[in-house]
Amino acid sequence: MNQQDYYEIGESKRLPLRCPILNYCSRRAVTIYFNSDYYKSNSDLTVEEALIKDGTLPQDFESKKIQIQGEPPSWIKGSCNYHFDGMCPEVNLFDNMNSLFKGVACISAEYDKYYPAPKHRVLKTQHYSKCSEFNWYMFERGRLKISNTKPRKTISAKTRSILQKEIKSICPICSNEDVEHFQVHHIDENPTNNDVENLLMLCPICHSKITKGDISYSEVKNIKKELNKTK
């Protein structure tokens, strides 16, 4: 898996092109540590201490780090061979200084001096979205978002009447006229803000598209703005 393949996977999943937890991921730190033989020159330091001292990791890494989830990286090295598994894919793919397989999202590989060519063999590649640390991060972020969700306030019948009149009983996006099933969208996504200027009545299908991000916030704002012009 090269950089282009890697980027395409991220785009298809609607994720950032690079791993968003990169600077605070312990798996990445361990991968850099072993790939670069830091342990030889900094044997008295921990992984984090060696990389922070070198400037590879941010100074606040210790307080913000995401611990390795599941199986830790493994590294077996002999005088003429080595095998590693469970490494961070972004180190080999992007980090030219600390990469053993440059330009490949490699998490598992081996080398043996006595192999017929190729002596370096990639065993497994992976996108960061498959990493345990990233999925833990997404789970925790989602859990925090849920725990911080504000209670939804009931929208009054009077407000609904105003909103329906505003759109002339027609979905302002797709022109659906099944007004009995229309829903109300909070433009700022704050369910406690029932100000008429923050609300838009529309059909369930278009409401779902907004929620999924298929219709952007700016598009919704412009629709509301145009409706206000026709009042």
Side-chain angles (χ1 to χ4, degrees):
M1 184 189 301
N2 59 27
Q3 289 188 17
Q4 185 60 39
D5 297 331
Y6 199 82
Y7 288 149
E8 288 177 359
I9 291 174
E11 289 176 348
S12 70
K13 294 176 179 288
R14 302 180 71 178
L15 293 171
L17 296 182
R18 297 290 305 276
C19 179
I21 64 170
L22 199 62
N23 288 331
Y24 297 99
C25 179
S26 293
R27 188 175 298 274
R28 172 181 176 255
V30 170
T31 301
I32 293 174
Y33 186 79
F34 283 112
N35 278 13
S36 305
D37 287 344
Y38 274 90
Y39 60 92
K40 291 182 178 179
S41 56
N42 298 285
S43 57
D44 295 331
L45 302 177
T46 66
V47 172
E48 290 90 350
E49 289 170 344
L51 296 179
I52 290 171
K53 180 180 179 181
D54 180 67
T56 302
L57 296 180
Q59 291 294 319
D60 59 351
F61 178 85
E62 190 63 36
S63 63
K64 295 183 178 181
K65 70 178 177 181
I66 295 174
Q67 298 282 7
I68 291 172
Q69 307 295 312
E71 289 294 322
S74 62
W75 179 272
I76 302 171
K77 192 170 186 178
S79 59
C80 57
N81 55 25
Y82 65 74
H83 173 94
F84 65 78
D85 188 44
M87 299 297 181
C88 168
E90 297 223 350
V91 174
N92 282 315
L93 184 58
F94 296 108
D95 189 344
N96 289 330
M97 290 184 61
N98 301 304
S99 173
L100 295 177
F101 289 79
K102 291 180 173 60
V104 181
C106 176
I107 67 168
S108 180
E110 62 185 7
Y111 162 81
D112 195 304
K113 178 181 178 180
Y114 300 105
Y115 276 162
K119 298 181 184 298
H120 294 83
R121 300 181 181 183
V122 174
L123 301 179
K124 186 177 181 181
T125 60
Q126 179 174 287
H127 187 262
Y128 76 78
S129 60
K130 298 290 186 181
C131 291
S132 300
E133 292 73 31
F134 172 74
N135 284 285
W136 177 89
Y137 162 78
M138 293 298 288
F139 173 79
E140 286 296 305
R141 191 175 71 164
R143 186 174 64 82
L144 184 62
K145 184 176 180 180
I146 291 172
S147 66
N148 290 336
T149 299
K150 298 177 181 179
R152 184 177 295 274
K153 289 184 178 180
T154 302
I155 299 172
S156 68
K158 180 180 178 180
T159 299
R160 286 183 173 274
S161 177
I162 293 171
L163 295 172
Q164 184 175 336
K165 183 178 179 181
E166 178 183 61
I167 63 171
K168 298 180 174 60
S169 300
I170 300 173
C171 176
I173 297 176
C174 71
S175 300
N176 186 321
E177 297 182 7
D178 187 14
V179 70
E180 290 185 7
H181 296 97
F182 279 13
Q183 299 173 351
V184 177
H185 173 65
H186 291 79
I187 297 173
D188 67 356
E189 297 187 354
N190 177 0
T192 67
N193 182 6
N194 285 348
D195 186 275
V196 171
E197 291 305 311
N198 185 52
L199 303 176
L200 179 66
M201 183 172 280
L202 69 174
C203 75
I205 294 175
C206 290
H207 194 190
S208 176
K209 288 181 179 179
I210 293 173
T211 303
K212 291 189 295 183
D214 294 337
I215 300 174
S216 69
Y217 170 78
S218 60
E219 288 176 295
V220 176
K221 288 285 289 183
N222 286 334
I223 290 168
K224 185 70 175 182
K225 184 178 179 180
E226 290 300 316
L227 289 172
N228 285 334
K229 287 181 180 180
T230 61
K231 287 182 179 179

